[in-house]
Amino acid sequence: PATASHAAGQVWTESSAPATTQDQKFLQSIHQVDLAEVVMGDMAANKGENQQVKELGKQLAMDHKQLDEKVTSTASKVQVTLPDQPTPDQQAMADQLNQVSGAEFDRQWLTAELEGHVQAIQLTQTEISLGSDRAVTQLAQDALPILQAHYDALVNLAQSMGGAVPQASGSATPGGGTS
């Protein structure tokens, strides 16, 4: 499990200094995750057929709005410019979800959310392990339990709806992978 301790020999930087490449990549990527999650969460709240999909979508959108306020504030402190839109892949997924409705929307939304949260957990674990700015790694440590709780809720919902679940968990997810 991730803790506040870092690998031996890790050097901390002060938050007034510009962020390292790892810290910058994490802030930009997690910001794009948040942007996409707000859009897709709101979409589920409005388009979901299953009441649990609607409720979870609303919760995800709210949590990611709150998380993104911290991301934006931290990025400002460490002089990182954040993108103003989700990634092209995230955008394409939202566009795809806009094309479907009913039970098919619920199924595709759940699959996209599960995959997205696995990626977000991996990004966050990598920052906890490799980040060098205290404020950014603390943000990652604060975000990880939220992302894990979302993933767990998505797994439970997918299982209750009879869907397939990607095999990963916050503690067993392989870290260090780059995308």
Side-chain angles (χ1 to χ4, degrees):
T3 64
S5 64
H6 269 47
Q10 181 146 12
V11 178
W12 290 108
T13 59
E14 292 303 314
S15 290
S16 59
T20 63
T21 303
Q22 167 59 39
D23 294 330
Q24 180 178 351
K25 180 181 174 194
F26 170 73
L27 287 167
Q28 291 172 337
S29 297
I30 205 71
H31 175 64
Q32 288 178 301
V33 166
D34 289 337
L35 293 176
E37 287 300 325
V38 170
V39 168
M40 291 186 10
D42 286 343
M43 204 182 290
N46 295 319
K47 285 187 68 168
E49 180 175 87
N50 181 300
Q51 189 58 35
Q52 290 175 289
V53 168
K54 289 178 173 286
E55 289 169 10
L56 187 54
K58 187 176 177 182
Q59 182 67 48
L60 294 183
M62 186 175 68
D63 289 351
H64 281 278
K65 279 178 193 161
Q66 290 173 346
L67 179 57
D68 202 54
E69 288 172 12
K70 294 175 186 169
V71 170
T72 304
S73 168
T74 303
S76 175
K77 286 179 196 164
V78 297
Q79 304 167 29
V80 170
T81 303
L82 297 175
D84 58 1
Q85 312 182 54
T87 66
D89 285 349
Q90 291 163 334
Q91 203 92 49
M93 178 50 64
D95 292 344
Q96 167 62 29
L97 288 171
N98 263 326
Q99 304 301 315
V100 294
S101 59
E104 183 61 17
F105 171 86
D106 291 355
R107 187 187 67 71
Q108 288 189 26
W109 179 81
L110 262 175
T111 300
E113 287 293 333
L114 283 161
E115 291 170 2
H117 277 81
V118 167
Q119 291 172 356
I121 288 166
Q122 289 173 333
L123 265 174
T124 304
Q125 289 174 326
T126 299
E127 175 60 25
I128 290 167
S129 299
L130 303 178
S132 57
D133 186 282
R134 286 179 198 243
V136 183
T137 55
Q138 184 61 55
L139 172 68
Q141 289 168 355
D142 293 345
L144 188 58
I146 296 165
L147 296 170
Q148 185 64 53
H150 289 174
Y151 178 78
D152 293 344
L154 288 159
V155 167
N156 290 338
L157 180 54
Q159 288 172 339
S160 76
M161 291 172 64
V165 176
Q167 295 304 304
S169 71
S171 56
T173 301
T178 55
S179 50

